[in-house]
């Protein structure tokens, strides 16, 4: 027998609830999760106000803000997923096994090639000058302790932003519309959320949108979030710490000291490569690499 759909639903029922199962429509679920994340972040910020602020140690201050974000993002999504979406937290694409670890490591490695490509192109054209390495200027112990601290920060950033954008946003929007709209709209929101970064413009937001599409491709090719999380971690770390570029408007500790003097339209200027046209061929290269490393995969996307 076929599934019988109730056509006698009330107006309020149609406004608030999905037609195929008894749970809130995607828009209401997104709204509730957004309220939850803001509420949790505000409460945690008030509780730890003045405790986790390190005026003389900016990396520790950034680490503390990422820990608050970890609790706010993870807590709000867990509550929304479990009690509002009526799905498990892991069904977002968080099954952890041997393949998850491989995907995570591959994801971290791919942006190393992408950012190396950007570095070589800008250096060969004359838009970038290499000024030396950090350990030639600063004490070696300080250099590597800061580099390790920054990679931990980027690990939290990659987890937090991918759990929110490619996890909850993409998959919830897709459940209310379709996968194509879920990918595009979540990537657009991802770009808008970066408008608060130093030096951000609508051009940089467009670049971040394209980066969001790239990160979503990792999810599409695997059906899990681990490759996307790795890509995000590797992107930030290789871009900022290894090759010395700004990371979405922020200057992080860099092992490579560089000066970028090329046209802002291409290099992205003080915001970094995401705001420049140079990011487009790098994204194409990264997309081809994702395609190659996932060539034997036949993913089944998680239930939304």
């Amino acid at each position: 027998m076929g599934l019988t759909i109730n056509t006698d639903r009330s107006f309020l029922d149609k406004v608030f609830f999905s037609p195929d199962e008894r749970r809130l429509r995607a828009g209401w679920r997104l709204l509730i999760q957004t309220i939850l994340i803001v509420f949790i972040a505000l409460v945690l910020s008030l509780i730890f106000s003045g405790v986790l602020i390190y005026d003389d140690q900016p990396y520790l201050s950034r680490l503390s803000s990422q820990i608050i974000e970890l609790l706010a993002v993870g807590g709000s999504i867990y509550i929304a997923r479990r009690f509002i979406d009526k799905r498990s937290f892991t069904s977002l694409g968080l099954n952890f096994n041997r393949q998850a670890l491989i995907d995570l490591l591959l994801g971290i490695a791919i942006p190393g090639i992408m950012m190396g490509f950007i570095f070589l192109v800008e250096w060969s054209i004359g838009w970038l000058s290499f000024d030396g390495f950090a350990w030639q200027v600063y004490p070696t112990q300080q250099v590597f302790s800061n580099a390790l601290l920054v990679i931990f920060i980027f690990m939290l950033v990659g987890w937090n932003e991918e759990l929110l954008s490619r996890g909850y946003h993409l998959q919830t929007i897709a459940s209310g519309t379709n996968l194509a709209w879920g990918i595009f709209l979540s990537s657009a929101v991802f770009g808008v959320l970066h408008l608060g970064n130093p030096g951000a413009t609508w051009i940089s937001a467009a670049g971040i949108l394209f980066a969001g599409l790239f990160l979503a491709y990792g999810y599409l090719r695997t059906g899990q979030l681990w490759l996307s999380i790795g890509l995000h971690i590797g992107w930030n770390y290789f871009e900022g710490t290894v090759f010395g570029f700004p990371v979405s408007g922020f200057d992080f500790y860099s092992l490579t000291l560089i000066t970028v003097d090329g046209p802002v339209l291409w290099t992205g200027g003080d915001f970094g490569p995401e705001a420049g046209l140079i990011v487009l061929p790098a994204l194409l290269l990264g997309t081809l690499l994702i395609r190659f490393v996932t060539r034997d995969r036949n993913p089944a996307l998680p239930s939304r």
Side-chain angles (χ1 to χ4, degrees):
M1 295 179 64
L3 177 65
T4 301
I5 299 176
N6 182 11
T7 58
D8 298 326
R9 301 168 66 209
S10 68
F11 173 75
L12 290 178
D13 191 78
K14 292 178 181 178
V15 169
F16 288 102
F17 293 98
S18 300
D20 51 351
E21 66 176 297
R22 193 66 179 176
R23 67 170 180 171
L24 288 174
R25 286 185 175 274
W28 295 113
R29 288 183 273 131
L30 284 167
L31 177 62
I32 291 172
Q33 187 273 330
T34 301
I35 294 171
L36 283 171
I37 193 174
V38 172
F39 175 76
I40 295 172
L42 285 175
V43 170
L44 291 173
S45 297
L46 288 172
I47 291 173
F48 296 107
S49 177
V51 178
L52 297 177
I53 303 300
Y54 305 89
D55 293 329
D56 58 337
Q57 300 183 63
Y59 299 121
L60 288 178
S61 184
R62 287 173 177 172
L63 176 61
S64 66
S65 67
Q66 283 302 315
I67 291 173
I68 290 175
E69 187 172 321
L70 172 71
L71 297 173
V73 170
S76 65
I77 291 177
Y78 179 83
I79 294 170
R81 193 69 177 169
R82 179 70 178 82
F83 300 104
I84 309 300
D85 294 17
K86 300 181 181 179
R87 299 286 191 273
S88 69
F89 185 75
T90 56
S91 68
L92 285 169
L94 294 170
N95 295 327
F96 192 77
N97 49 31
R98 182 173 178 272
Q99 186 61 56
L101 182 59
I102 292 172
D103 286 346
L104 188 66
L105 294 175
L106 284 172
I108 292 173
I110 286 172
I113 300 172
M114 297 167 62
M115 294 303 159
F117 166 79
I118 291 175
F119 185 95
L120 289 174
V121 169
E122 293 192 10
W123 177 74
S124 63
I125 295 176
W127 294 345
L128 178 154
S129 59
F130 170 68
D131 302 325
F133 294 107
W135 55 82
Q136 296 173 325
V137 180
Y138 305 104
T140 303
Q141 182 178 355
Q142 175 188 330
V143 169
F144 287 100
S145 62
N146 283 335
L148 288 174
L149 177 59
V150 170
I151 195 170
F152 186 63
I153 292 171
F154 286 145
M155 287 171 67
L156 292 176
V157 172
W159 168 265
N160 292 337
E161 295 192 4
E162 290 311 300
L163 181 61
L164 182 65
S165 294
R166 258 57 61 185
Y168 199 77
H169 284 174
L170 188 159
Q171 296 176 50
T172 303
I173 294 170
S175 72
T177 54
N178 55 53
L179 188 58
W181 276 114
I183 292 170
F184 176 77
L185 291 177
S186 64
S187 299
V189 171
F190 184 59
V192 170
L193 289 175
H194 284 75
L195 280 173
N197 290 19
T201 64
W202 286 105
I203 294 176
S204 69
I208 298 291
L209 183 154
F210 283 114
L213 297 176
F214 165 74
L215 292 166
Y217 188 60
Y219 166 71
L220 288 178
R221 293 294 300 171
T222 62
Q224 296 288 306
L225 288 177
W226 299 111
L227 182 60
S228 298
I229 292 169
L231 291 167
H232 204 136
I233 295 169
W235 181 297
N236 289 342
Y237 196 71
F238 280 102
E239 181 179 47
T241 304
V242 175
F243 288 106
F245 295 106
V247 180
S248 301
F250 291 102
D251 289 320
F252 284 91
Y253 201 85
S254 301
L255 297 175
T256 305
L257 306 178
I258 64 171
T259 301
V260 178
D261 292 321
V264 173
L265 178 64
W266 281 93
T267 66
D270 292 336
F271 191 87
E274 297 100 323
L277 293 178
I278 191 67
V279 78
L280 297 179
L283 287 172
L284 176 60
L285 173 61
T287 300
L288 294 174
L289 289 171
I290 292 174
R291 178 76 180 184
F292 176 76
V293 301
T294 61
R295 61 193 181 280
D296 297 325
R297 305 287 284 274
N298 185 24
L301 296 181
S303 171
R304 296 185 294 272

